[in-house]
């Protein structure tokens, strides 16, 4: 018997394409919509068996807030996240929010379909390769802290590094903007990019990760002068 589901994605064309493919395979798609942030309202109203929730940024703050609300108001609905390969914290965040599964966004439609059916049956769904990668990293989080710090540092622009240092010093958006001579909206954007690149959900997590991996030591955290702003991006 086909699954009764709702498909939501940040990109409407992708949501509609997935919906069409699943309809052809005998499933009942109640709705296909965008953006993913509106998934909760739609699911609460329509009460499907499964919600296929597509996201392009699983590490972004609040990415799984819709899952939390769905599970709070419609606990019987299974949520399967469809997205890029995140770090282990991204996978953990999806399941911590209440998701029943995480499927790679480049998975074949047959794999997506299997995930939907298993989630409806109450099974947890995650690809073995993703699970193995998550366990490998979680079991050896500090095997090479210096290399990890360097890898994270290489992901950030000079300006984002300065933002991270200021975040670690406890500065809010207003202070960051004033200290760097930029608009508050620009400072807020820089902070969000730093959080996304580091794969964390809060400023506190960003500061803790930077300290644990030695990233702050590499940029002279605690010295009298902040790092140079470098070219803005």
């Amino acid at each position: 018997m086909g699954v009764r589901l709702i498909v939501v994605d940040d990109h409407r064309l992708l949501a509609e394409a997935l919906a069409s493919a699943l309809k052809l395979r005998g499933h009942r798609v109640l709705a296909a919509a965008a953006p993913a942030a509106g998934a909760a309202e739609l699911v609460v109203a329509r009460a499907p068996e499964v919600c296929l929730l597509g996201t392009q940024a699983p590490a972004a703050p609040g990415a799984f807030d819709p899952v939390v609300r769905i599970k709070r108001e419609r606990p019987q609905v299974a949520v399967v996240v469809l997205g890029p390969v995140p770090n282990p914290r991204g996978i953990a965040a999806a399941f911590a929010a209440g998701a029943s599964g995480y499927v790679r966004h480049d998975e074949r439609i047959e794999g997506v379909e299997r995930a939907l059916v298993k989630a409806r049956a109450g099974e947890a769904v995650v690809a073995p390769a993703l699970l193995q990668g998550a366990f490998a990293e979680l079991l050896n989080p500090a095997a090479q802290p210096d290399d990890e710090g360097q890898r994270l540092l290489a992901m950030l622009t000079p300006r984002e590094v300065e933002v991270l240092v200021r975040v670690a010093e406890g500065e809010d958006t207003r202070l960051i903007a004033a200290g760097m001579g930029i608009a508050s909206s620009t400072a807020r954007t820089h902070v969000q990019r730093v959080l996304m690149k580091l794969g964390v959900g809060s400023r506190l997590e960003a500061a803790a990760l930077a300290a644990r991996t030695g990233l702050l030591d590499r940029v002279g955290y605690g010295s009298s002068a902040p790092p140079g702003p470098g070219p803005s991006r």
Side-chain angles (χ1 to χ4, degrees):
M1 184 173 68
V3 177
R4 192 175 74 255
L5 74 149
I6 284 175
V7 181
V8 188
D9 194 274
D10 291 330
H11 298 287
R12 182 173 296 277
L13 285 177
L14 180 55
E16 293 176 349
L18 281 168
S20 296
L22 290 167
K23 284 179 181 178
L24 289 175
R25 301 180 75 86
H27 301 286
R28 183 184 175 194
V29 180
L30 302 180
E41 288 78 6
L42 192 57
V43 170
V44 169
R46 303 296 296 274
E49 293 175 312
V50 181
C51 172
L52 181 60
L53 177 69
T55 178
Q56 301 301 312
F64 300 120
D65 285 353
V67 182
V68 173
R69 182 180 168 193
I70 289 170
K71 299 306 293 184
R72 182 177 67 244
E73 300 190 28
R74 293 286 188 181
Q76 74 278 14
V77 176
V79 180
V80 175
V81 176
L82 182 69
V85 179
N87 60 28
R89 294 180 189 84
I91 297 176
F95 281 94
S100 299
Y102 194 105
V103 182
R104 290 177 54 140
H105 62 176
D106 57 355
E107 179 64 75
R108 296 173 63 88
I109 191 64
E110 293 85 358
V112 175
E113 182 179 35
R114 283 194 297 271
L116 297 175
V117 172
K118 288 183 177 181
R120 182 181 62 180
E123 298 181 40
V125 184
V126 61
L130 284 179
L131 198 58
Q132 290 168 5
F135 272 114
E137 186 170 330
L138 291 172
L139 289 173
N140 302 283
Q144 296 179 310
D146 290 341
D147 290 346
E148 177 70 0
Q150 183 59 44
R151 183 185 70 81
L152 293 174
L153 186 60
M155 294 167 58
L156 304 175
T157 68
R159 177 146 291 191
E160 288 166 351
V161 170
E162 180 177 356
V163 168
L164 177 59
V165 170
R166 292 180 180 276
V167 166
E169 290 175 341
E171 294 187 7
D172 59 17
T173 301
R174 180 180 58 81
L175 288 175
I176 292 173
M180 297 178 65
I182 57 179
S184 292
S185 59
T186 303
R188 190 175 301 108
T189 297
H190 283 314
V191 171
Q192 293 302 315
R193 285 178 178 170
V194 169
L195 297 183
M196 287 182 63
K197 288 184 177 182
L198 296 183
V200 297
S202 70
R203 298 181 184 212
L204 182 60
E205 288 181 77
L209 177 62
R212 178 177 64 79
T213 59
L215 190 155
L216 293 176
D217 295 332
R218 290 178 176 272
V219 298
Y221 175 69
S223 62
S224 58
S232 61
R233 295 189 185 182

